[in-house]
Amino acid sequence: MTVRIDASDHGGSFSAYVAEPEGTPRGAIVVIQEIFGVNPGIRRKCDEWAAKGYLALAPDLFWRLQQGIELDPDIPEQFQEALGWMNRFDQNKGIEDIESTIRAARAKLGGHGKVGVVGYCLGGRLAFMTATRTDTNATVGYYGVGIDNLLGEKHAIAHPVLLHIAGADHFVSPEVQAKMHAGLDDHPKVTLYDYPGENHGFAAEMGNRRSEAAAQLADERTAAFFAEQIG
């Protein structure tokens, strides 16, 4: 199902896909989209978390540009369209909307439960920003782009963070990966996992980018992390 969430800047409201577990939720997981919008792959991520007992929400972060964008990364024209949306996207506003979604999740939990955040691609970068700028209880980023430019914010990380790094990521060079390790390996709240030979998008739920063994390993690590940190 979808719900509407009011933007904190009073600029309107946005939709979020919601998957609810059977019984009382263990906590909540906010799933942050790739550049392709809240598409079937992102909705399936939410459904998987609900099957594990979590309340899961995926906000439509591109709503200020156009509501309801859903693109297929395996169709070249749609991939190019997604890059165009990303270049116009205001990431700071995106963090505000993620924070509003975290608040909405807490409200649905009755104000007491913990909320984790997991993001992919652009969402992996936004996940890191969420860890430094909001009160999320735990954060996971998959193949986040440009995190080397955000290392000046690492002092603000108060809760555990897990980052999955694709070793052969064509958007994240070996030099950038080295900077991430140099900047974060000694941070007491941050864990980095490398996946040698894997490309960007390897943990996509469906499509040509998925690399089954690496996706399963990363997702198992994420599930164990959230089980420990969220409930």
Side-chain angles (χ1 to χ4, degrees), residues 76-156:
E77 296 81 8
Q78 294 192 21
F79 192 98
Q80 291 303 315
E81 182 185 342
L83 292 174
W85 291 120
M86 179 189 70
N87 290 334
R88 293 171 56 195
F89 174 63
D90 184 333
Q91 295 185 18
N92 293 319
K93 286 293 182 186
I95 296 301
E96 290 179 16
D97 294 337
I98 292 166
E99 189 166 32
S100 296
T101 307
I102 292 169
R103 288 195 186 125
R106 285 212 176 96
K108 285 181 82 68
L109 293 173
H112 306 300
K114 292 183 177 180
V115 180
V117 171
V118 58
Y120 305 84
C121 172
L122 167 65
R125 175 184 173 85
L126 295 173
F128 187 87
M129 295 166 71
T130 300
T132 66
R133 301 184 190 184
T134 78
D135 63 350
T136 174
N137 295 105
T139 308
V140 179
Y142 284 72
Y143 27 84
V145 179
I147 290 178
D148 56 315
N149 298 323
L150 299 169
L151 294 175
E153 300 185 28
K154 68 179 182 179
H155 65 279

Side-chain angles (χ1 to χ4, degrees), residues 1-187:
M1 68 172 184
T2 59
V3 298
R4 302 293 299 184
I5 297 173
D6 290 328
S8 59
D9 66 358
H10 308 295
S13 67
F14 55 93
S15 68
Y17 177 78
V18 177
E20 294 187 337
E22 293 184 16
T24 303
R26 303 166 62 174
I29 306 293
V30 175
V31 178
I32 311 178
Q33 67 180 62
E34 300 180 283
I35 62 175
F36 310 106
V38 182
N39 62 6
I42 293 297
R43 293 197 294 272
R44 188 187 289 183
K45 295 279 190 196
C46 290
D47 295 341
E48 294 278 338
W49 286 117
K52 291 181 170 70
Y54 298 93
L55 172 70
L57 303 89
D60 174 10
L61 296 181
F62 283 170
W63 70 279
R64 296 168 194 274
L65 301 171
Q66 181 177 305
Q67 303 235 13
I69 293 169
E70 283 190 46
L71 299 169
D72 184 339
D74 292 337
I75 299 175
E77 296 81 8
Q78 294 192 21
F79 192 98
Q80 291 303 315
E81 182 185 342
L83 292 174
W85 291 120
M86 179 189 70
N87 290 334
R88 293 171 56 195
F89 174 63
D90 184 333
Q91 295 185 18
N92 293 319
K93 286 293 182 186
I95 296 301
E96 290 179 16
D97 294 337
I98 292 166
E99 189 166 32
S100 296
T101 307
I102 292 169
R103 288 195 186 125
R106 285 212 176 96
K108 285 181 82 68
L109 293 173
H112 306 300
K114 292 183 177 180
V115 180
V117 171
V118 58
Y120 305 84
C121 172
L122 167 65
R125 175 184 173 85
L126 295 173
F128 187 87
M129 295 166 71
T130 300
T132 66
R133 301 184 190 184
T134 78
D135 63 350
T136 174
N137 295 105
T139 308
V140 179
Y142 284 72
Y143 27 84
V145 179
I147 290 178
D148 56 315
N149 298 323
L150 299 169
L151 294 175
E153 300 185 28
K154 68 179 182 179
H155 65 279
I157 295 172
H159 299 286
V161 174
L162 180 61
L163 297 177
H164 301 292
I165 301 173
D169 194 326
H170 57 280
F171 291 115
V172 184
S173 69
E175 292 77 17
V176 169
Q177 294 177 40
K179 287 179 183 176
M180 291 172 66
H181 276 286
L184 296 169
D185 278 345
D186 62 350
H187 196 296

Side-chain angles (χ1 to χ4, degrees), residues 167-222:
D169 194 326
H170 57 280
F171 291 115
V172 184
S173 69
E175 292 77 17
V176 169
Q177 294 177 40
K179 287 179 183 176
M180 291 172 66
H181 276 286
L184 296 169
D185 278 345
D186 62 350
H187 196 296
K189 297 289 187 183
V190 182
T191 302
L192 277 62
Y193 285 117
D194 293 293
Y195 299 82
E198 298 297 336
N199 207 337
H200 193 81
F202 72 80
E205 281 296 308
M206 54 187 74
N208 296 336
R209 299 176 302 154
R210 183 173 175 85
S211 180
E212 192 63 38
Q216 288 192 19
L217 176 59
D219 288 348
E220 286 166 6
R221 287 167 165 168
T222 298

